[in-house]
Amino acid sequence: MRVLTEPEWCARERAHAGRMRRWTGPYLRRRARGEKHPVHDFLFQYYSYRPSQLERWHPGPGVVLAGEAARRFLERPEYHEVPGGVALDLAAFDGKRVETARQLLTLLTATAARAPRLNCFGLHEWAMVYRQDADQVRHNQVPLRLGPAGTDAVVESLPLRCGHYDAFRFFTPPARPLNDPKPTRATQPELEQPGCLHANMDLYKAAFRLSPFVPAELVADCFELAVEIRELDMRASPYDLRPFGYAPIPVETPSGRAEYARQQAEFARRAAPLRHELIARCHDLPTLGG
């Protein structure tokens, strides 16, 4: 067990909260004003981790928090007193948590074993608005860059190759038959691959679902990567986000598809060490290898 003095862990706690407030603060202010952000709100509304949870610091297993101030961690059910201070109680890693971690480990390991596939070109966002009326479009506060007819024409002219179930399930009914493969929740471990933007954004979901049994800094690393990936995801979408400061990546053109694939490959490279760290953390947990 590594012991952190009170000044040490308090500094880490403050640094983590400050780092995350860069994102949680603007979101909470927008929400209070009733404003929408078509790019960043996704990180707080699609993913079920509240801003207060994201700001909350956890040391992860194997760390003793020394000092009187550490006793406030005892208000959290996963902590207990140990010689020298307070630490995570690994006995609290039980029941549903074990099954969740086991499922995550299966998915993460299967994904990490595959080579990135870079030929989907972000068309999932286009397939989510294919043949929709204007009032049905998800982000109808911003216009479609090519208009409805132009958007539909792109979907009809390029192959849909989305293998990520949580994107595919939002395809419009007319778009679903155009996609190959036809992912399901059951086939997710068979189809998930590390070039997929959504698979790499979902490292954030894996990290917070393992919390507090992974360090908060790992959750933050995955979150910040997800922010950057989301920005690419929406720059390649059919929406015109230039008023929000996002130049489009026109995947309807060969040069746009090449740029998308280049950035997609770079995110796959950056996601790989985070995926491997999550796998290692799972193996360190009780009943999963620890």
Side-chain angles (χ1 to χ4, degrees), residues 154-169:
V154 171
V155 174
E156 291 164 358
S157 66
L158 294 170
L160 297 182
R161 301 188 181 102
C162 180
H164 185 76
Y165 173 70
D166 284 315
F168 177 71
R169 67 191 177 97

Side-chain angles (χ1 to χ4, degrees), residues 7-26:
E8 287 175 327
W9 67 257
C10 283
R12 285 180 57 179
E13 184 180 48
R14 287 192 300 271
H16 172 76
R19 178 185 179 188
M20 293 297 94
R21 282 173 187 152
R22 176 188 172 193
W23 307 104
T24 59

Side-chain angles (χ1 to χ4, degrees), residues 12-266:
R12 285 180 57 179
E13 184 180 48
R14 287 192 300 271
H16 172 76
R19 178 185 179 188
M20 293 297 94
R21 282 173 187 152
R22 176 188 172 193
W23 307 104
T24 59
Y27 169 70
L28 292 172
R29 289 191 290 273
R30 286 195 304 273
R31 190 174 71 178
R33 296 191 297 263
E35 296 176 1
K36 294 181 179 181
H37 193 290
V39 179
H40 291 159
D41 286 356
F42 175 85
L43 280 302
F44 298 100
Q45 296 175 352
Y46 173 77
Y47 291 112
S48 59
Y49 208 50
R50 297 188 301 276
S52 60
Q53 292 174 301
L54 185 58
E55 293 174 12
R56 182 177 296 173
W57 181 75
H58 293 281
V63 178
V64 176
L65 306 178
E68 184 62 26
R71 296 191 60 80
R72 59 183 164 82
F73 281 78
L74 296 174
E75 298 171 3
R76 306 178 191 178
E78 302 91 354
Y79 288 83
H80 65 163
E81 286 193 74
V82 297
V86 174
L88 271 173
D89 181 4
L90 290 181
F93 182 77
D94 60 3
K96 188 176 180 180
R97 279 192 167 109
V98 175
E99 183 55 32
T100 294
R102 187 173 287 122
Q103 291 172 357
L104 290 172
L105 179 58
T106 297
L107 182 61
L108 292 166
T109 303
T111 306
R114 299 190 177 100
R117 183 166 55 81
L118 308 174
N119 63 352
C120 69
F121 306 123
L123 291 171
H124 52 275
E125 286 288 342
W126 299 70
M128 292 177 192
V129 299
Y130 179 60
R131 294 190 181 177
Q132 280 192 330
D133 294 332
D135 60 346
Q136 296 175 305
V137 173
R138 199 158 44 116
H139 300 293
N140 56 19
Q141 77 271 28
V142 291
L144 296 174
R145 188 165 50 80
L146 303 181
T151 300
D152 292 349
V154 171
V155 174
E156 291 164 358
S157 66
L158 294 170
L160 297 182
R161 301 188 181 102
C162 180
H164 185 76
Y165 173 70
D166 284 315
F168 177 71
R169 67 191 177 97
F170 290 105
F171 282 24
T172 64
R176 288 184 170 221
L178 305 178
N179 194 69
D180 184 21
K182 303 292 188 295
T184 66
R185 182 67 72 200
T187 61
Q188 192 171 7
E190 301 167 27
L191 295 177
E192 205 85 307
Q193 52 88 20
C196 173
L197 292 191
H198 280 263
N200 292 330
M201 277 195 284
D202 279 355
L203 294 177
Y204 168 54
K205 179 168 67 174
F208 73 66
R209 292 184 74 190
L210 292 169
S211 183
F213 296 94
V214 297
E217 290 87 351
L218 177 56
V219 179
D221 288 343
C222 293
F223 174 81
E224 289 186 338
L225 181 67
V227 172
E228 292 187 57
I229 294 173
R230 172 64 176 173
E231 290 174 350
L232 172 62
D233 194 33
M234 293 302 285
R235 287 179 62 204
S237 77
Y239 299 104
D240 186 353
L241 299 174
R242 284 172 289 191
F244 291 85
Y246 297 102
I249 296 178
V251 295
E252 69 274 13
T253 68
S255 61
R257 292 194 290 276
E259 176 60 17
Y260 180 88
R262 185 191 67 78
Q263 293 198 38
Q264 189 181 21
E266 175 61 13

